[in-house]
Amino acid sequence: MEEDEFFGEETFQHYCAEFIKHSQKIGDGWEWRTSKEALEPPLDDFEVTETTTATEVIKYEYHVLYSCSYQVPVLYFRASFLDGSPLALKDIWEGVHECYKTRLLHGPWDTITQQEHPILGQPFFVLHPCKTNEFMTPVLKNSQKFNRNVNYITSWLSMVGPAVGLNLPLSYARAAFQDEGNVDRQDSSIEPKSLEEL
């Protein structure tokens, strides 16, 4: 992606197709869903779980959507205990990884907030996309400088995900370097789930 290239929906879909292709290869459960498919209940509800204490398990569900307003991907997520009771926004703020706490303290409402999922109409937490271009531009410039293939979605999720308990396997980064961006567009017709477009 050229540094000044418009990050539109088609580019978003292309990078998502690469991401999904690797997800299927390693079997970690990411899927692509269109708006219509997102409204239908999934056949196999994949959730990432994280153990916070010996007696407390928290389930996370992550959705990546394209924002037409910001022209970047946005991470929506929800978290609940095994009994189904959701975590409060205060709990999410307290659970943010230590290396992200300073940023959160300076602007919690423009970092992580709770709002309605634009497709599902249910309450979700969201990492605000206003700074995405700011921190992704150096990544893209650096990849061009060294002539390296970068999957925008993989790089972006690797940066924002750990703040809220989402850690991608290193194999995603390796796949981007090996792939050289030659993804067959037909692969994007696979049955998607958590990466969504508005």
Side-chain angles (χ1 to χ4, degrees):
M1 187 168 129
E2 296 297 320
E3 76 180 77
D4 57 352
E5 182 180 336
F6 178 76
F7 189 76
E9 288 183 61
E10 189 174 313
T11 305
F12 172 74
Q13 290 174 11
H14 170 75
Y15 285 123
C16 288
E18 289 180 353
F19 185 90
I20 294 298
K21 183 178 179 181
H22 184 69
S23 175
Q24 288 185 330
K25 185 184 274 187
I26 65 172
D28 68 350
W30 285 94
E31 295 179 352
W32 173 264
R33 288 188 162 224
T34 61
S35 300
K36 182 181 177 189
E37 292 168 330
L39 296 174
E40 300 166 7
L43 298 174
D44 181 16
D45 192 17
F46 174 79
E47 293 173 341
V48 176
T49 60
E50 178 181 313
T51 305
T52 54
T53 67
T55 59
E56 185 176 51
V57 175
I58 299 173
K59 296 187 301 182
Y60 286 87
E61 178 183 346
Y62 300 97
H63 293 216
V64 176
L65 284 77
Y66 178 76
S67 168
C68 293
S69 302
Y70 288 93
Q71 298 173 345
V72 294
V74 182
L75 183 62
Y76 284 79
F77 67 101
R78 54 184 165 190
S80 62
F81 296 104
L82 285 180
D83 67 1
S85 58
L87 272 69
L89 181 57
K90 179 178 156 283
D91 299 324
I92 296 297
W93 284 343
E94 289 173 1
V96 166
H97 193 278
E98 287 301 317
C99 66
Y100 298 94
K101 290 264 187 191
T102 303
R103 168 70 183 118
L104 182 69
L105 292 173
H106 283 75
W109 291 103
D110 62 359
T111 304
I112 301 174
T113 58
Q114 191 170 25
Q115 66 184 42
E116 186 176 288
H117 190 292
I119 297 172
L120 301 177
Q122 300 169 358
F124 269 70
F125 299 107
V126 63
L127 281 171
H128 201 281
C130 65
K131 301 283 186 190
T132 301
N133 279 330
E134 185 179 312
F135 67 77
M136 284 302 294
T137 297
V139 172
L140 299 175
K141 283 184 179 179
N142 197 38
S143 70
Q144 290 171 351
K145 181 179 177 182
F146 294 104
N147 199 26
R148 291 196 174 152
N149 185 37
V150 169
N151 180 308
Y152 188 104
I153 298 298
T154 299
S155 298
W156 167 76
L157 269 180
S158 296
M159 294 172 79
V160 301
V164 294
L166 175 58
N167 296 300
L168 292 181
L170 185 57
S171 65
Y172 277 97
R174 288 186 192 126
F177 288 119
Q178 294 168 354
D179 223 1
E180 295 303 321
N182 296 325
V183 172
D184 182 356
R185 294 284 178 167
Q186 299 304 313
D187 289 344
S188 65
S189 65
I190 51 182
E191 197 59 24
K193 176 177 174 183
S194 291
L195 291 167
E196 301 170 356
E197 67 172 320
L198 294 175

